[in-house]
Amino acid sequence: MHYAELVAKSKGPNLDTPAMRQYRRFKDQHPGCVLFFRMGDFYEMFLEDAVLAHETLGVTLTQRTEGVPMAGVPFHSVEPYLKRMIEAGHRVAVCEQVEDAAQAKGVVKRDVTRVLTPGTLTDETLLDAGADNPLAAVAFLGPGDAPDGPAALAWCEVSAGEFRAAAFDHLSDLAAELARIGPTELLVAETATGEAPPRALELAGSLGVSITPRPAGVFTQTAAHQALCRQFSVAHLGGFGFDDHDPALGPAGAVLDYLRQTQRTPTGQPTPNLRSILPFNREDHLVIDPATLASLEVVRTLRTGEQGQALVGALQGARTPMGKRLLRRWLAYPSRDLSVIRSRHDAVQAMVDDDLFARDLREALSPVQDVPRIVSRLGVGRATPRDLVALAHSASAIAPLLEALAERPSVAPYYARLEDVAAPLLALAEHLHHACVEEPPAHLRNGGLIRDGHDAELDRLRHLGRDADAWLAQYQADLSQQHNIPNVKVGFNKVFGYYIELSAAQRSKAPPEWKRKQTLKNAERYITPELKAFEDKALTAESQALAREQELFAQLCERAAKHAGPLSDYADATAELDVLRGFADLARKRGYCRPEMVEHPALRLTGARHPVLDQTLADRFVPNDVALRGRLRSPDSQNNKNLNTAESTPSLALITGPNMAGKSTYIRTAALCVLLAHAGCFVPADEAVVGLTDRIFTRVGSADELHTGRSTFMVEMTETAAICHHATPHSLVVLDEIGRGTSTLDGLSLAWAVAEHLAERGPRALFATHYHELTRLDQTRPTVANLHVTAREWDGRVVFLHKVEPGGADRSYGIQVAKLAGLPDSVVARATDLLGELSVQQRGAPAPGSSPGTGAGNGPPESTEGPDATPREPVPHMPLFAQAPEHPVVDTLRTTVIETLSPLGAFDLLRKLKQELADGADAAD
C-alpha cells in the first residue's frame, strides 16, 4: 500500500506533526525512494517504507503513534543496511539533520544529502572493488513494441567517469551489448501511466537488472544535446564523434539527467568526474553475444554463477582494484585491432622474458589503490580521510613505476603516459603526505587526520587541549593539598562536563565555595568558578580544533579534485600495466605461449589446454591440437589464395565420440584460446596461430526461456539461426549437439543441413555431435574433416583417453556412460538388449556427385578457389540413407493372393521361398 493511502486510512492528527510533515515533503520530492530519515542516533522509516525495511532488512517493526508503522537502523552502522537495500533493487534517499539539535528552534532542519541507486553508487562500502557498476539507458527507436527494431544505448561507470553511447539497427544487438556491459540499473522512458514499457521490462528481466522509468522528455535529442553541451562546456558534440541528430544522444541525455538528480556535489555541478562521452563501435571488438558469454563461462559459471571458477577468476592476477575490473572488460570486449593486440603481447613478452622487470613492476604497483573510485568520491563530496591517504600512497607510486618502465621499448607508450602526469601527481602526493597522518581515522567526526605542524591555528587549538591534561592534574593536586582531601578526583564526561568528585565519606570536607553539581549513590560532584572557566576554554578549543580540521580536510579534497584528469589518466595506465603483468605471471607459471596473430582466418593450436581446467586438473589435463582455416569466397589478397589452396586444413571439423570423453572441452578450449589471444593474453598451448576474428558463436548446453514462451529446443534453434545468418569466414563457430531437442530424424536432418550450410559459408567451425551419419559429409565436402575423441572399452567399461584424433567415432558408448552414472543394472541390461534389436546395418550407396578418394582431410581442388578461379558448381546434397534394393522373395510375397492357396499349396510356396533365401545367401558368400 502506498504511504498516501496509509495516510488516508490513518487518523489525521497522528501524521500532522512537524516531523511527519517534513518527512512527507522529502518523500514527495524523491518518489520511488526509500527514505532514511535521521532522527537522533537512528535513521527512521515510516509507513510503507517501514514495512519494506522490515521485509528486506529484517529490522523490527514498531509504532509510537497508532496506525503509523516505523522501523529504524543505527546511524553509525547504516552502510550495511544501505548495501542490502540496494542489492535488493531499491533506491534510497538519505535525509540528514543539517543543524545541531541542541540549537534548533522547533523541528530540526533536515535535507536529503544522498540518493543511492543500484547504478550510481560511489561509496567504497557499497561497491565490489573487483566489478564495474554501470548505469545504462535505452531508447527504443522503432514504432510500438516492435520486437527487433532499432534502438539506442548509453552507459556510464559513475565510479570511474566512463561514458559511452551507440545506436543499433536491431534490438537484439543492443541486448547483446547490455549482456556484455552488465549494468546494475537500466533507465527507460516511462509510458503515459508512468510505468516501463513491456519490451523494456522483458529486456530488464532477461538481464536480471533493476529498471527505472524516467520522464520521456529527458530522452529527447534536443534536451540531451543541450545537457551534454552544458556538461562538457562545448557548443556542439562533433569533437566527441557525434552529430547533432545522433539517436544515441537521447539515452545519453537521460543518463546525465539522472546523475543530476542523484549526485550531490559541493559545487553544485553534477558528475564532475565524467571526462567525456565517446561513441561505441562494435567493429572495434571481437563480438561475443550473450549465449557465447554464458556458455564459455567468461564471467561466471553456468552451474553456480560464481566468478572465481570462471575464466575471469582463473586469469585474475591483477593487484589493483581497477586492474581487476579492467580484466573483466578486456575479456568481454577483446580487441580486433592488430596493433593493439600485438602491443599488449609485446608488453607481456617483455615481462615473461625478464623476471626482474616483472618483479619491479609488481612491487611498484603494490601501493596503488582504487584511484578512479576515490576520484569519483572526491567529485561528489563523499571522500573519507582514508581516501586522501590512499591517494597519497597511490600517486607516490608513479616514481618507482617510471623507474621500472624506463628504457624498455615494449612499454614505452605507458612510460610516456605516466611521465606526462608525474610532476603534478608527485606534488600532490607530497602535500597530502605532509598534511595527513599515516594511520587516518575512518571518518572525521572526532578529527585525527591532520598532522601536527601542518597548520599553525590547529596546532594552537590542540595545544590548549593537551595543556588541559596537565592543568587538570595540577589543579587536582592543589585542591588535595589546600583542603586536605587526599582522594579528591577531577574528571570529565560528555553529559555533565568537568567536575570535582568526593566520596560520600568525604563530602563534609567540601568547602562552601564549591557548588554541588551532581549527587551519586556513593559520591558527590562539584564545580568551582575556576573549573567552570577552564571547561569553557577547553571545550571551545576542542570544538574549534575539530572545525578547523574539517576545514583543512575540505581544502585537501578540493585540491585533490583539481587533479582529477591526471589521476584518471594515471589510473588507466596502471590498470593496463597491472592486467598485462598478471598475464605475464600466468604465462610464466602455466607455460602459455605467445600467439602469432595473422589477418587471414586461420586457427592452429598445438597442445592446447582449457585455461580453467588446466589449473584445476593440473597434470591430468590432456592437451590437444586444433587446425582450421576459414574459406574466403572473395579473396582480397594473394595471401588468401595461398591460404585456400596451399593447405588442406578444413574449415569445419566434425567431432564425434562418447559423452564425457571431452568433446565439449575440446571445442571450448579452441574458442577460449581465440578469445584470450584477442584480449592480449598468451594462450595455454605449445604453439598458436590465431587469425583475426570478428565474432565467436557458440551453441552449447541446454536452457529454456519459458517466461518468454520459448522451449529448450526453440532457444537452441534461435541461437543456431543467428549463427547461420551472421557467421562470416572470419568468425569462429562452436556447436555442440545441434538437433537433440526434437525427434531423432528431425534432429539429424537439421544438424546435417546446418553442417552443410556452414561448410558452404566458410567460417572456422567445430561441430561436436552424436549423429555419426554426419561423418559422411567429408566424402562430398572437401572443407569438412572428421575428428573423434578416443575411448576404449575394457572389461565391460569404457575408458576415456580424452585425445582427439582424425576420423569419425564408431559408437557413442552411451549405455556404458549411463552405467558409470549409476543407472540400475536392470535398466542398463535392458538398454543393451534394445540396442541390439534397434541397430540397423545400412549399406550406403555413394552420394550423387561424389568420387572415389574424397574423404576427410582433402582440401578443395585448386581450380575452385582463389581470385582468378571460376565459381564452383554447387555440390549435390548427400542423401541421408541409401535405398536398399528389394529382395525377390519380398516381391513374390507382395504379389501372392493367399486366399487362393490350399494348405498344401501354401506349404509348397513357403518351402520354395525358403530355398530362394538359402540360394541367395550362398551366392553372397
Side-chain angles (χ1 to χ4, degrees), residues 136-420:
V138 170
F140 302 104
L141 307 179
D145 282 331
D148 199 27
L153 167 68
W155 71 97
C156 80
E157 171 61 48
V158 178
S159 61
E162 299 176 354
F163 199 5
R164 298 266 182 149
F168 301 90
D169 293 332
H170 302 284
L171 184 57
S172 56
D173 291 336
L174 178 143
E177 290 310 318
L178 281 173
R180 290 207 279 181
I181 296 166
T184 54
E185 186 174 7
L186 186 64
L187 309 179
V188 296
E190 63 188 14
T191 62
T193 60
E195 300 176 346
R199 54 182 170 179
L201 292 172
E202 181 179 345
L203 181 62
S206 66
L207 296 168
V209 60
S210 173
I211 189 168
T212 303
R214 299 290 295 162
V218 302
F219 282 84
T220 63
Q221 288 187 335
T222 301
H225 185 271
Q226 293 174 354
L228 291 165
C229 288
R230 184 168 58 251
Q231 169 69 31
F232 300 115
S233 301
V234 295
H236 55 81
L237 300 173
F240 297 107
F242 298 92
D243 61 51
D244 294 347
H245 303 289
D246 194 314
L249 297 183
V255 168
L256 201 56
D257 176 80
Y258 193 60
L259 294 179
R260 288 180 185 274
Q261 298 290 327
T262 58
Q263 303 296 298
R264 298 295 186 91
T265 67
T267 61
Q269 295 296 321
T271 58
N273 57 315
L274 287 184
R275 290 172 276 173
S276 66
I277 180 170
L278 299 174
F280 170 76
N281 185 1
R282 293 188 96 199
E283 303 302 320
D284 294 339
H285 306 278
L286 190 161
V287 177
I288 304 174
D289 60 24
T292 301
L293 199 67
S295 60
L296 293 183
E297 299 184 319
V298 176
V299 178
R300 53 182 53 85
T301 60
L302 288 170
R303 182 177 294 275
T304 65
E306 296 179 356
Q307 295 190 15
Q309 296 180 350
L311 180 66
V312 67
L315 300 184
Q316 192 58 268
R319 302 179 73 88
T320 65
M322 55 272 199
K324 290 178 168 60
R325 298 193 294 270
L326 181 63
L327 172 63
R328 193 265 184 204
R329 291 198 295 273
W330 277 8
L331 294 179
Y333 286 93
S335 178
R336 285 196 67 220
D337 188 327
L338 272 179
S339 63
V340 171
I341 297 171
R342 288 168 176 166
S343 176
R344 292 177 186 175
H345 288 164
D346 288 342
V348 173
Q349 187 69 63
M351 298 175 201
V352 170
D353 293 341
D354 190 341
D355 186 59
L356 182 61
F357 172 37
R359 187 194 66 186
D360 291 344
L361 188 59
R362 182 166 52 249
E363 293 176 355
L365 288 169
S366 294
V368 181
Q369 300 185 45
D370 206 338
V371 175
R373 290 186 172 172
I374 294 175
V375 171
S376 71
R377 290 193 287 273
L378 285 169
V380 296
R382 296 291 304 165
T384 67
R386 291 178 179 173
D387 283 338
L388 285 184
V389 175
L391 202 59
H393 288 301
S394 300
S396 298
I398 197 169
L401 269 174
L402 286 171
E403 184 177 349
L405 299 175
E407 299 181 0
R408 295 184 181 276
S410 60
V411 289
Y414 294 102
Y415 182 89
R417 289 164 63 183
L418 293 176
E419 190 177 36
D420 288 343

Side-chain angles (χ1 to χ4, degrees), residues 427-719:
L428 174 65
E430 183 179 0
H431 183 77
L432 293 177
H433 278 306
H434 182 269
C436 303
V437 298
E438 283 296 317
E439 299 292 335
H443 53 77
L444 209 60
R445 289 194 289 266
N446 298 318
L449 171 66
I450 306 301
R451 289 180 185 271
D452 290 339
H454 176 71
D455 181 74
E457 175 63 13
L458 180 60
D459 289 345
R460 182 185 71 80
L461 295 171
R462 283 177 172 174
H463 190 63
L464 291 175
R466 294 191 183 105
D467 284 348
D469 293 337
W471 187 90
L472 287 173
Q474 185 61 48
Y475 184 60
Q476 179 176 299
D478 291 344
L479 290 176
S480 177
Q481 183 177 5
Q482 290 173 11
H483 303 288
N484 193 26
I485 308 175
N487 294 326
V488 67
K489 176 184 176 183
V490 179
F492 170 82
N493 70 35
K494 292 183 179 181
V495 178
F496 292 98
Y498 288 94
Y499 57 82
I500 302 169
E501 183 176 293
L502 296 179
S503 65
Q506 293 179 322
R507 71 178 64 180
S508 59
K509 296 183 179 182
E513 64 269 19
W514 289 13
K515 182 179 179 181
R516 184 177 286 106
K517 190 171 186 178
Q518 184 184 14
T519 299
L520 305 178
K521 181 178 180 180
N522 297 315
E524 200 78 31
R525 290 178 176 177
Y526 305 87
I527 189 73
T528 65
E530 296 87 354
L531 188 58
K532 178 60 177 174
F534 171 79
E535 180 182 75
D536 293 341
K537 177 181 176 182
L539 293 182
T540 301
E542 183 179 350
S543 63
Q544 289 179 343
L546 180 57
R548 178 58 180 168
E549 189 161 4
Q550 290 173 339
E551 180 182 351
L552 293 171
F553 173 68
Q555 292 175 3
L556 292 174
C557 289
E558 182 179 359
R559 178 166 183 166
K562 291 180 179 178
H563 291 76
L567 284 169
S568 297
D569 293 340
Y570 171 57
D572 291 344
T574 53
E576 292 179 29
L577 285 169
D578 195 18
V579 175
L580 295 172
R581 183 207 52 77
F583 286 168
D585 285 353
L586 185 67
R588 189 184 306 106
K589 179 180 179 181
R590 306 298 309 177
Y592 285 17
C593 75
R594 175 174 182 166
E596 179 186 350
M597 299 298 300
V598 295
E599 293 190 11
H600 54 266
L603 178 59
R604 187 170 68 249
L605 304 172
T606 304
R609 311 182 300 278
H610 190 288
V612 179
L613 298 180
D614 182 44
Q615 296 184 26
T616 56
L617 297 180
D619 294 339
R620 292 180 294 151
F621 188 87
V622 178
N624 277 294
D625 300 342
V626 180
L628 294 172
R629 283 185 179 272
R631 291 179 53 243
L632 295 175
R633 294 190 176 191
S634 300
D636 53 7
S637 70
Q638 187 63 32
N639 288 335
N640 288 328
K641 178 179 179 180
N642 296 334
L643 165 66
N644 288 309
T645 61
E647 298 187 23
S648 60
T649 308
S651 65
L652 186 149
L654 291 166
I655 304 104
T656 51
N659 285 308
M660 292 182 60
K663 298 190 304 295
S664 296
T665 299
Y666 176 76
I667 61 179
R668 282 185 171 102
T669 296
L672 288 173
C673 285
V674 171
L675 188 153
L676 290 184
H678 283 73
C681 184
F682 285 13
V683 300
D686 298 330
E687 294 181 0
V689 177
V690 178
L692 203 61
T693 305
D694 57 4
R695 297 185 65 157
I696 296 178
F697 292 96
T698 64
R699 166 83 283 279
V700 179
S702 60
D704 58 49
E705 294 181 6
L706 297 181
H707 63 285
T708 63
R710 301 202 300 173
S711 66
T712 301
F713 182 65
M714 186 62 178
V715 171
E716 176 184 333
M717 289 298 100
T718 300
E719 294 176 359

Side-chain angles (χ1 to χ4, degrees), residues 835-869:
L835 179 64
E837 294 178 17
L838 296 173
S839 295
V840 178
Q841 297 295 330
Q842 298 182 22
R843 299 170 183 263
S850 63
S851 58
T854 59
N858 291 337
E862 286 194 22
S863 60
T864 63
E865 301 289 351
D868 303 321

Side-chain angles (χ1 to χ4, degrees), residues 791-870:
R792 297 290 183 270
E793 193 171 3
W794 179 78
D795 194 21
R797 296 183 178 183
V798 62
V799 179
F800 304 116
L801 303 182
H802 304 295
K803 195 67 179 175
V804 177
E805 296 180 351
D810 56 348
R811 54 188 299 195
S812 290
Y813 297 96
I815 294 177
Q816 287 82 351
V817 173
K819 184 176 181 179
L820 289 176
L823 214 61
D825 291 342
S826 59
V827 175
V828 172
R830 177 56 178 158
T832 304
D833 293 341
L834 290 172
L835 179 64
E837 294 178 17
L838 296 173
S839 295
V840 178
Q841 297 295 330
Q842 298 182 22
R843 299 170 183 263
S850 63
S851 58
T854 59
N858 291 337
E862 286 194 22
S863 60
T864 63
E865 301 289 351
D868 303 321
T870 57

